[in-house]
Amino acid sequence: MMAGAHILQLLHPCLPETPFTGNFLPYDAGSSSSSDAVDGEGGEDRISALPDDLLRNIISRLPVKDAARTTTLSPRWRGLWRSTPLALEDRHLFRLSYMSDGIDWGTLAADVSRVLVSHPGPFRWVHLSWNFMGDREKALAKWLRLFAAKGVESLVLVNRPWPLDVPLPATILRCASLRRLYLGVWHFADTSRLSRGPAVFPHLQELGICHTIMQECDLEYLFDCSPDLQIFGLILSYGFPSSVRIRSESLLCMIFWMSMAEELAVVAAPHLQRLILHSAGTSRRTMKVKIGNAHELTVLGYLDTATHMLEIGNTIIKAAVTNVTPNATVPSVKVLALKVGFGDVEEVKTLLSFLRCFPKVETLHVMSSCGAIGDENEEEEEKDDNSEGDENEENKEQDDNKEGGEGIGELSSMIGQEVGPIECLESHVKKLVLDQFSFGVNELGFLKLVLGRAQMLQNVVLVLAGGKPSVGAAEAMEMLGMLGTMKWANKECELAVRARRGHDWSYRRASDLSLSDPFLG
């Protein structure tokens, strides 16, 4: 079971970016009034002479404690905060005493309640992720009533674990003014007996469900009640629900982020443009990825050749398939990202089969996952310490042969000689990004296959794997030199090599619809 601190560490980067700039400082609850700044001797107060709309714009950019204090500056400012749509983050209510005595969670919740009650609304931005709600059911119920009554537009509501299964009241479903909603670490309300329809969330465009226990019927309820939903993210979800079935007439982007399920099925999403899959660690659990009615799907990935069973229409795509029927293809996909363990023959064959299902791909990302596979093998060996030593030694020898011995040579030969036609490679791919590239034999074999066939290829980017390189710099340069001597299908193609840029692949990037290609490279 994942620790609470680790959950928050993974969850917070997925939450909407704050509208506030700069760092905030805890405040002293007993400090003097801010009116001292204008009551003393000084020059002319030119700021107060600005138009109301401009002053409200200034107030909307301040942390709530500072925004509320503007009412004491002068009679000119007195009513401006209450007439400015509220922007509230609970971390801005930290008191100076919390730094030495620790956070008083009861006081923090009371301060949130005080702000929500004192402001008439609407609530433009509310971000609450620092409150333990396990024993504060009354406060939670009060907040939800206020959100519904005062027109909250953007809401982040995260229970600070533990516990992980705090019930989320169904009152959340009465916030009809919501345009963006992120819920984290809850047990979702039972929707089985609730009436559904577009009046529940008529304006909701972005929805994130983070590490929350819910059933398949609850997810279907949310889709049915959100007629304008465009972006949906399922984040840190581990089997609740076990089946994720997407039915939405409006959805443009689905993000399955660090999550696991038995099945992810695009049943009917005629306007879906982007399907993002980001796996959770090194888990080897298999998940069926089914693509049905998604005729506008343009961006897809990362499909994992080790853990994803791909089904298109009613056809399961298996390794070594050379003939793919038109019903088992998705020609709308232009940007495709795949993850493959090049040390495994079946995974490489699956890679080639997957490519045949997306005949019009123009940008292809392929990430090598050999490192992750090796790490997991080490973990499995530690778990099996009690097994017979001879059997473990035999398995280890087989693994060594598989990743670095005779099997690799046979696989490299297969890549170069026995691969049938692949339409996207031969006629459409313009850019290839090989991520976590380590100059392995099979990685080079696949690169040679693409260079020798891709007539439209304009750019190849090799993103080097981090950690200890598998080959030395001199050997790597020699391999790159050998690539230059082979016949390329497009002589004008350019090849670039670069190091990986840290952790630049993120949920926010994946959900940014202004990026035609959200993947790295």
Side-chain angles (χ1 to χ4, degrees):
M1 183 176 292
M2 190 178 296
H6 188 45
I7 292 172
L8 295 176
Q9 182 183 10
L10 297 174
L11 189 154
H12 274 285
C14 302
L15 299 177
E17 198 165 6
T18 176
F20 302 102
T21 57
N23 297 322
F24 78 96
L25 297 174
Y27 77 100
D28 186 350
S31 63
S32 59
S33 171
S34 297
S35 59
D36 294 344
V38 295
D39 286 345
E41 296 181 2
E44 180 183 357
D45 179 11
R46 297 183 180 181
I47 294 180
S48 294
L50 295 173
D52 284 1
D53 287 346
L54 189 52
L55 292 179
R56 290 191 186 98
N57 187 287
I58 294 172
I59 291 172
S60 70
R61 299 170 186 273
L62 297 175
V64 67
K65 64 180 185 297
D66 298 322
R69 284 179 171 182
T70 61
T71 61
T72 66
L73 291 176
S74 70
R76 174 77 175 83
W77 290 78
R78 189 162 297 156
L80 289 176
W81 177 67
R82 288 173 53 83
S83 63
T84 302
L86 177 69
L88 166 65
E89 291 194 19
D90 53 359
R91 67 190 181 107
H92 291 161
L93 296 175
F94 281 11
R95 301 189 179 206
L96 194 60
S97 59
Y98 293 173
M99 300 300 102
S100 57
D101 303 332
I103 298 176
D104 184 332
W105 302 107
T107 299
L108 179 60
D111 287 343
V112 171
S113 297
R114 189 175 299 109
V115 172
L116 297 178
V117 169
S118 62
H119 196 285
F123 296 167
R124 176 177 65 90
W125 166 275
V126 178
H127 182 124
L128 306 177
S129 62
W130 279 88
N131 279 271
F132 287 92
M133 303 310 301
D135 58 352
R136 294 183 176 84
E137 295 87 350
K138 291 183 179 180
L140 177 60
K142 182 178 183 178
W143 296 353
L144 294 177
R145 288 195 301 269
L146 291 169
F147 295 154
K150 297 187 178 183
V152 64
E153 295 179 3
S154 180
L155 174 62
V156 174
L157 187 60
V158 176
N159 168 45
R160 198 165 182 82
W162 305 91
L164 298 175
D165 58 349
V166 175
L168 180 67
T171 319
I172 188 66
L173 304 173
R174 299 176 188 169
C175 299
S177 56
L178 278 166
R179 297 183 180 275
R180 176 165 56 189
L181 174 64
Y182 277 74
L183 298 172
V185 199
W186 300 100
H187 193 299
F188 198 79
D190 181 8
T191 62
S192 60
R193 298 181 180 181
L194 300 179
S195 59
R196 62 182 66 195
V200 177
F201 288 137
H203 309 294
L204 189 64
Q205 296 183 339
E206 184 175 348
L207 174 62
I209 303 295
C210 314
H211 205 74
T212 290
I213 300 171
M214 66 189 315
Q215 304 303 317
E216 183 180 346
C217 62
D218 301 326
L219 192 55
E220 292 177 355
Y221 177 92
L222 290 173
F223 284 134
D224 289 344
C225 295
S226 308
D228 200 28
L229 187 63
Q230 297 180 12
I231 299 173
F232 173 64
L234 200 59
I235 304 162
L236 294 170
S237 176
Y238 303 137
F240 298 99
S242 60
S243 178
V244 179
R245 300 174 66 81
I246 305 169
R247 289 187 179 90
S248 172
E249 292 290 327
S250 61
L251 195 65
L252 302 178
C253 176
M254 165 68 194
I255 308 170
F256 193 74
W257 194 262
M258 292 189 290
S259 296
M260 294 182 291
E262 295 177 3
E263 176 188 53
L264 173 61
V266 182
V267 179
H271 299 295
L272 186 68
Q273 299 173 6
R274 182 177 298 191
L275 179 58
I276 302 294
L277 306 149
H278 180 52
S279 59
T282 57
S283 172
R284 313 312 290 171
R285 289 177 56 182
T286 300
M287 180 177 74
K288 178 185 287 188
V289 178
K290 184 174 182 177
I291 301 176
N293 180 3
H295 303 303
E296 295 183 13
L297 185 62
T298 305
V299 179
L300 173 62
Y302 284 89
L303 282 177
D304 193 322
T305 56
T307 61
H308 291 159
M309 179 190 299
L310 179 61
E311 181 176 338
I312 300 176
N314 294 316
T315 303
I316 296 177
I317 310 304
K318 299 181 179 179
V321 172
T322 56
N323 277 326
V324 177
T325 64
N327 291 335
T329 65
V330 188
S332 60
V333 172
K334 297 296 187 289
V335 180
L336 177 65
L338 303 171
K339 184 181 292 185
V340 56
F342 278 101
D344 189 300
V345 175
E346 291 302 309
E347 284 199 50
V348 176
K349 290 180 178 179
T350 301
L351 162 69
L352 301 177
S353 297
F354 281 4
L355 289 175
R356 292 186 173 94
C357 298
F358 306 97
K360 306 297 182 182
V361 168
E362 297 179 358
T363 301
L364 176 61
H365 296 259
V366 180
M367 177 185 289
S368 175
S369 61
C370 289
I373 293 174
D375 292 342
E376 183 181 70
N377 286 343
E378 290 176 3
E379 293 174 5
E380 292 299 323
E381 287 173 4
E382 290 177 3
K383 293 179 182 178
D384 294 337
D385 280 343
N386 294 329
S387 300
E388 294 186 11
D390 292 343
E391 181 179 351
N392 285 344
E393 187 64 29
E394 180 181 352
N395 290 338
K396 184 177 184 302
E397 291 176 1
Q398 290 175 356
D399 288 342
D400 289 343
N401 289 334
K402 182 178 179 181
E403 296 193 14
E406 183 178 353
I408 288 295
E410 293 176 357
L411 180 55
S412 179
S413 175
M414 181 273 293
I415 289 179
Q417 300 177 12
E418 300 178 14
V419 177
I422 301 176
E423 181 180 344
C424 68
L425 292 186
E426 292 153 9
S427 303
H428 297 283
V429 170
K430 298 177 182 179
K431 180 178 180 179
L432 170 67
V433 179
L434 290 178
D435 196 2
Q436 300 284 17
F437 193 77
S438 60
F439 292 93
V441 175
N442 294 328
E443 292 173 336
L444 286 168
F446 178 73
L447 177 57
K448 290 177 182 178
L449 170 70
V450 177
L451 292 175
R453 293 193 179 194
Q455 301 178 42
M456 305 298 294
L457 190 63
Q458 300 172 4
N459 299 100
V460 175
V461 180
L462 305 182
V463 183
L464 300 181
K468 185 179 179 180
S470 59
V471 298
E475 188 177 355
M477 293 300 297
E478 182 181 354
M479 292 178 180
L480 291 174
M482 292 175 60
L483 291 176
T485 63
M486 65 172 285
K487 184 177 180 181
W488 292 21
N490 183 359
K491 296 180 180 179
E492 303 299 320
C493 177
E494 297 181 355
L495 186 147
V497 182
R498 69 170 179 81
R500 218 167 194 277
R501 300 168 185 163
H503 301 287
D504 45 3
W505 172 236
S506 66
Y507 178 90
R508 290 173 183 167
R509 179 180 175 89
S511 60
D512 186 350
L513 296 180
S514 68
L515 299 174
S516 59
D517 180 359
F519 303 106
L520 304 181

